[in-house]
C-alpha cells in the first residue's frame, strides 16, 4: 500500500487545492507536497538495497485482458521517485509569487496542476504493468499541457500545443508496441501486461525489433533526442522556470527510464541490434545540443538546449552496454535533475529582477547581486561537469564506458566537455560580468527565502560530487540485473 499512498497523496492534494479558497491554496498545496516528500522518504527507508523489485502491489484490473494495477520499485524507480518528491516542493516554493503574476492562471491552478503532474509521474516510475504504465504515461500530458499553456510568457499557448502534438504522436506509436506485447503474450499462452510475465517470454528477434522501434521512438521524443527534440527549446523559453523544472528534470526522465525498463528489460536482442544507430543519435544529440546552445540569446532557451546534450550522454551510457556506462547514465539522470533545476530556478529569479531573458541585455549582475551570481556560476559549472560537483562523476563514467565501447565514440563525447565549458562560462560572462545596462535599475540580490529554496540543490551537487556512493549503491544492483537480462556481464562483455 505504500506506493499507492505515495501516488494518492499528491493526487488528492491536487483536487483539494483546486477547491479550497484562493488564500489557502498555496499552503494546502505545499502541505500535500511536503507530505508526499515524507512518504517518499519512508518508502526509501523500507527499500532494501540489492533486493530487486520491492514494495510490490498487484491487483487484477481487467481480468479478461490480463491487465493489473501493479506497482513496485527497484533501484532505478526509487531514485526517480525520490528526485520527484524532492523537486516538487522546491518548485512550489519558487513559484509562490510567480504564479499570480498578470497573465498567468493563478496560484491555485499552478499548485493543483503541479501536484497532479507529480502524482502521474510517481505512477509512471512505479508501474509494473505495461498498460498501466501507458495510461499514466499519457495522463502526464494533461497537467503538463495546462502548466505550459497557463503560465509563462507570450507564445506559451503555441508552445503547449507543439509539446502536446509531439508527445501524443509518440504515445500513439508506443501504443502499437504495447498492443504488440499483449499479442505476443497471448500467443505464448499467458495473455498479460505484467512486466514480469512479459520478461519471461522468448520473443523472436524480428518481432522484438518492431516492438523496440515503437517504444524507442516514444521515449526519444519524451527524453528528448535529436531529431525529435524541437519542442524542448520552445517549451522552456515560454513556460515558467518552475514548469521547466517539472518537465525537464522529472517528466523527461520518463524517456530514459522507459529505455531501461522496456527496451533493455523486455527487448534485449533488439536493443543490441539497434545500438549502432542509437549511439550515433546520442552523439549527434550531445554535440548538436551544445553547439546550438552556444548561439542562443534567450537564457531559458539556452538551458533547455543544454539538456538535449545531457540526455544524449544518458542515452549513450545506456546503449554502450557496460556496468560503468549504465550506472553512469542512471546517476546522470539524478545529477542532471538537480543541476538543471538549480539553473532554471536561478535564471527565473534573475529574469524577474532584470525584466528580460535576453542575455545581451544583461550584464554586471555580480556586482549588485553576488549571491545570485554565485548560484548561477555553480549551476553553469555543474552543467559543464566541473570536478567536485555531482555531474562530473556521472559524465566521467559515461565517457569511460564510451571509450571502452569504441575510441571514436569516446573522442566525440569528450568534445562535448569543451563545448559545455564554453557555453557555461560564456553565458556567465555575458550575464554577470562587465558593465550593467545603461539606465537599468540595480539588481537586488537573492533574499533568504530564495536562498533557502536553492540551498538544498547546491548541497546535493557538492555532497554527491564528493561522495556518490549512496546513489551508486542503489544503482549498481539494478544495473547488474539489467545487463544480465541483455546477456552482458559485469565488465561489459557477453556472459
Amino acid at each position: 500500500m505504500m506506493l499507492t499512498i505515495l501516488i494518492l497523496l499528491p493526487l488528492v492534494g491536487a483536487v483539494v487545492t483546486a477547491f479550497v479558497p484562493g488564500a489557502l491554496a498555496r499552503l494546502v498545496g505545499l502541505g500535500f507536497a511536503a507530505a508526499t516528500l515524507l512518504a517518499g522518504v519512508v518508502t526509501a527507508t523500507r527499500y532494501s538495497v540489492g533486493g530487486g523489485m520491492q514494495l510490490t502491489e498487484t491487483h487484477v484490473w481487467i481480468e479478461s485482458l490480463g491487465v493489473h494495477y501493479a506497482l513496485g520499485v527497484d533501484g532505478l524507480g526509487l531514485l526517480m521517485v525520490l528526485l520527484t518528491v524532492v523537486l516538487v516542493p522546491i518548485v512550489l516554493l519558487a513559484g509562490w509569487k510567480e504564479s499570480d503574476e498578470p497573465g498567468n492562471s493563478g496560484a491555485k491552478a499552478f499548485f493543483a496542476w503541479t501536484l497532479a503532474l507529480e502524482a502521474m509521474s510517481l505512477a509512471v516510475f512505479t508501474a509494473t504493468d505495461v498498460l498501466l504504465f501507458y495510461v499514466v504515461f499519457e495522463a502526464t500530458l494533461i497537467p503538463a499541457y495546462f502548466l505550459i499553456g497557463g503560465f509563462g510568457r507570450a507564445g506559451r499557448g503555441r508552445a503547449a500545443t507543439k509539446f502536446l502534438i509531439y508527445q501524443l504522436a509518440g504515445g500513439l506509436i508506443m501504443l502499437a508496441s504495447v498492443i504488440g506485447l499483449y499479442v505476443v503474450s497471448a500467443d505464448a499462452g499467458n495473455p498479460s501486461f505484467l512486466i514480469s510475465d512479459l520478461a519471461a517470454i522468448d520473443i523472436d528477434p524480428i518481432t522484438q525489433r518492431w516492438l523496440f522501434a515503437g517504444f524507442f521512438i516514444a521515449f526519444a521524443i519524451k527524453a528528448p533526442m535529436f531529431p525529435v527534440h524541437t519542442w524542448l527549446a520552445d517549451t522552456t523559453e515560454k513556460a515558467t522556470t518552475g514548469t521547466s523544472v517539472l518537465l525537464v528534470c522529472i517528466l523527461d526522465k520518463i524517456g530514459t527510464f522507459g529505455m531501461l525498463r522496456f527496451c533493455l528489460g523486455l527487448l534485449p536482442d533488439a536493443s543490441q541490434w539497434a545500438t549502432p544507430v542509437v549511439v550515433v543519435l546520442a552523439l549527434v544529440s550531445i554535440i548538436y545540443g551544445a553547439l546550438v546552445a552556444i548561439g542562443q540569446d534567450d537564457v531559458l532557451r539556452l538551458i533547455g538546449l543544454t539538456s538535449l546534450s545531457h540526455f544524449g550522454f544518458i542515452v549513450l551510457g545506456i546503449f554502450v552496454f557496460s556496468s560503468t556506462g549504465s550506472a553512469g547514465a542512471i546517476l546522470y539522470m539524478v545529477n542532471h535533475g538537480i543541476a538543471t533545476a538549480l539553473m532554471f530556478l536561478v535564471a527565473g529569479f534573475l529574469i524577474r529582477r532584470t525584466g528580460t531573458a535576453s542575455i545581451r541585455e544583461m550584464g554586471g549582475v555580480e556586482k549588485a547581486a553576488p549571491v545570485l551570481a554565485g548560484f548561477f556560476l555553480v549551476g553553469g559549472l555543474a552543467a559543464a561537469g566541473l570536478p567536485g560537483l555531482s555531474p562530473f562523476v556521472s559524465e566521467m563514467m559515461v565517457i569511460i564506458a564510451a571509450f571502452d565501447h569504441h575510441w571514436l565514440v569516446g573522442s566525440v563525447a569528450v568534445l562535448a566537455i569543451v563545448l559545455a565549458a564554453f557555453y557555461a562560462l560564456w553565458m556567465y560572462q555575458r550575464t554577470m560580468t562587465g558593465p550593467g545596462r545603461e539606465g537599468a535599475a540595480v539588481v537586488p540580490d537573492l533574499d533568504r527565502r530564495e536562498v533557502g529554496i536553492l540551498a538544498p540543490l547546491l548541497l546535493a551537487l557538492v555532497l554527491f560530487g564528493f561522495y556518490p556512493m549512496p546513489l551508486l549503491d542503489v544503482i549498481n544492483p539494478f544495473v547488474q540485473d539489467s545487463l544480465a537480462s541483455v546477456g552482458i556481464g559485469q565488465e561489459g562483455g557477453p556472459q
Side-chain angles (χ1 to χ4, degrees):
M1 283 293 293
M2 191 65 230
L3 296 180
T4 296
I5 293 171
L6 186 67
I7 296 168
L8 284 178
L9 273 172
L11 190 60
V12 172
V15 175
V16 174
T17 302
F19 287 99
V20 297
L24 293 176
R26 291 185 180 89
L27 291 176
V28 171
L30 183 60
F32 273 99
T36 307
L37 172 58
L38 179 61
V41 173
V42 172
T43 299
T45 62
R46 295 186 178 184
Y47 181 84
S48 176
V49 173
M53 193 66 71
Q54 299 175 43
L55 304 175
T56 55
E57 305 173 31
T58 304
H59 308 281
V60 175
W61 182 10
I62 307 174
E63 186 173 4
S64 60
L65 294 177
V67 183
H68 296 76
Y69 172 79
L71 305 175
V73 289
D74 50 17
L76 173 64
L78 179 66
L79 290 181
M80 293 300 99
V81 164
L82 290 176
L83 181 65
T84 302
V85 300
V86 167
L87 288 182
V88 167
I90 292 174
V91 167
L92 292 180
L93 287 169
W96 198 263
K97 300 175 181 178
E98 183 182 20
S99 52
D100 270 338
E101 291 177 355
N104 288 337
S105 298
K108 180 187 289 191
F110 181 78
F111 277 58
W113 286 124
T114 298
L115 289 171
L117 182 59
E118 180 181 24
M120 294 301 101
S121 298
L122 291 172
V124 167
F125 293 135
T126 57
T128 56
D129 179 280
V130 177
L131 189 62
L132 175 63
F133 173 88
Y134 175 77
V135 170
V136 290
F137 176 91
E138 293 290 81
T140 59
L141 301 183
I142 300 171
Y145 173 80
F146 284 105
L147 283 169
I148 298 167
F151 306 88
R153 293 191 278 172
R156 61 182 186 259
R158 182 177 179 181
T161 302
K162 185 175 183 178
F163 164 83
L164 190 63
I165 290 172
Y166 267 81
Q167 303 300 323
L168 285 175
L172 286 173
I173 294 170
M174 185 172 73
L175 179 60
S177 289
V178 171
I179 295 171
L181 280 175
Y182 177 77
V183 172
V184 168
S185 69
D187 290 342
N190 181 29
S192 175
F193 282 102
L194 284 174
I195 293 176
S196 56
D197 291 341
L198 295 168
I201 300 173
D202 185 16
I203 306 174
D204 71 85
I206 300 301
T207 303
Q208 277 200 38
R209 293 173 186 180
W210 283 106
L211 296 175
F212 174 91
F215 279 115
F216 182 79
I217 290 171
F219 296 142
I221 293 173
K222 180 70 75 176
M225 290 182 66
F226 179 90
V228 286
H229 66 282
T230 58
W231 63 267
L232 175 65
D234 291 344
T235 301
T236 57
E237 179 185 4
K238 301 301 182 183
T240 65
T241 52
T243 298
S244 294
V245 171
L246 296 173
L247 295 178
V248 177
C249 303
I250 298 175
L251 199 64
D252 289 359
K253 298 296 186 300
I254 296 173
T256 46
F257 173 89
M259 291 178 193
L260 287 160
R261 179 74 77 217
F262 295 96
C263 295
L264 270 64
L266 298 181
L267 309 166
D269 294 338
S271 296
Q272 293 193 69
W273 166 78
T275 291
V277 174
V278 176
V279 167
V280 169
L281 289 176
L283 291 175
V284 172
S285 297
I286 291 169
I287 301 301
Y288 176 81
L291 287 173
V292 176
I294 290 172
Q296 300 304 308
D297 178 60
D298 188 289
V299 65
L300 298 180
R301 194 175 182 90
L302 187 155
I303 298 171
L305 284 166
T306 65
S307 289
L308 174 62
S309 184
H310 295 314
F311 275 106
F313 268 108
I314 296 171
V315 174
L316 179 62
I318 293 171
F319 279 88
V320 294
F321 292 106
S322 73
S323 57
T324 302
S326 295
I330 298 171
L331 185 61
Y332 211 131
M333 290 167 69
V334 178
N335 291 335
H336 170 267
I338 298 169
T340 305
L342 178 64
M343 284 291 290
F344 271 124
L345 294 180
V346 176
F349 294 149
L350 175 63
I351 290 168
R352 284 199 288 277
R353 284 163 166 76
T354 60
T356 180
S358 174
I359 293 173
R360 68 165 62 96
E361 295 182 17
M362 299 180 188
V365 174
E366 67 178 7
K367 298 175 184 177
V371 177
L372 187 154
F375 275 106
F376 197 71
L377 178 61
V378 172
L381 293 176
L386 180 75
L389 298 176
S390 59
F392 169 77
V393 181
S394 45
E395 198 167 85
M396 286 302 100
M397 292 177 71
V398 172
I399 289 175
I400 290 169
F403 272 108
D404 287 341
H405 181 76
H406 194 283
W407 68 267
L408 184 58
V409 173
S411 300
V412 175
V414 164
L415 179 60
I417 297 179
V418 179
L419 296 175
F422 184 81
Y423 66 62
L425 294 176
W426 195 36
M427 175 176 62
Y428 181 85
Q429 180 183 19
R430 289 185 292 166
T431 55
M432 298 294 162
T433 65
R437 286 186 301 163
E438 187 175 346
V442 175
V443 176
D445 211 344
L446 297 178
D447 59 34
R448 278 185 283 185
R449 179 185 72 89
E450 292 165 332
V451 171
I453 291 168
L454 299 175
L457 299 173
L458 177 62
L459 179 63
L461 286 176
V462 175
L463 174 63
F464 295 131
F466 284 96
Y467 189 57
M469 287 313 298
L471 298 178
L472 289 172
D473 286 342
V474 176
I475 291 169
N476 286 331
F478 168 82
V479 168
Q480 293 170 16
D481 293 342
S482 177
L483 292 180
S485 71
V486 187
I488 303 295
Q490 178 105 10
E491 301 303 321
Q495 287 185 326

